[in-house]
Amino acid sequence: MAKDYARTKALEALEATGNNRHEAALLLRVWAESDDKLKSALVGPFLNNLCALAVQRAMSTGAPRRKPASKRARPKDNAATLLEAISKGGAQTMSSTRSSAPPPPAGSARHKQAVTLLAAAFKPGGKS
């Protein structure tokens, strides 16, 4: 619905300016200053990106920054606890979560013959 309103107003601006795109854009901007519905329809699709940009600019112009890693308080060392949990017999490993793959299906006699011929062609002294 908002897209339709913005499109209608853009067409009106084009008509009012004799299809001059630059002047139509300027006219649409002037109209948007006094028409909140039009401004919302034009800006709405870009609002998330505009907000992210505002935060990014604020961070680069003096917002409080995070402390460097060297000055942050380190969390309690749980290395021994983690190693103990990993080494327990009940802990899953990467290989314990995989199922064994079924063997490949047996090839047909024609396939076996083709593979044999190809292998013989690449052996020294093979068929050429």
Side-chain angles (χ1 to χ4, degrees):
M1 185 191 274
K3 275 198 230 177
D4 294 336
Y5 184 68
R7 185 174 186 273
T8 302
K9 294 303 267 185
L11 290 172
E12 285 179 29
L14 279 168
E15 185 178 322
T17 59
N19 287 333
N20 183 320
R21 293 189 318 183
H22 180 71
E23 289 181 11
L26 293 174
L27 181 58
L28 198 58
R29 182 175 178 177
V30 170
W31 288 347
E33 292 299 322
S34 60
D35 184 351
D36 288 336
K37 183 178 176 184
L38 177 59
K39 184 184 273 187
S40 177
L42 292 172
V43 175
F46 305 102
L47 191 56
N48 286 338
N49 290 337
L50 292 171
C51 292
L53 178 63
V55 169
Q56 181 180 353
R57 284 183 178 169
M59 291 293 293
S60 67
T61 60
R65 298 186 185 271
R66 291 179 61 182
K67 292 180 184 175
S70 61
K71 294 184 180 181
R72 282 188 233 144
R74 293 194 61 171
K76 186 178 175 184
D77 189 14
N78 292 330
T81 312
L82 291 172
L83 285 173
E84 184 181 335
I86 291 171
S87 64
K88 286 185 181 175
Q92 284 190 341
T93 62
M94 289 178 66
S95 60
S96 70
T97 58
R98 295 185 193 143
S99 61
S100 59
S108 67
R110 185 174 175 195
H111 175 76
K112 288 178 185 176
Q113 182 184 14
V115 171
T116 305
L117 284 172
L118 279 171
F122 288 97
K123 284 184 183 175
K127 298 178 185 176
S128 47

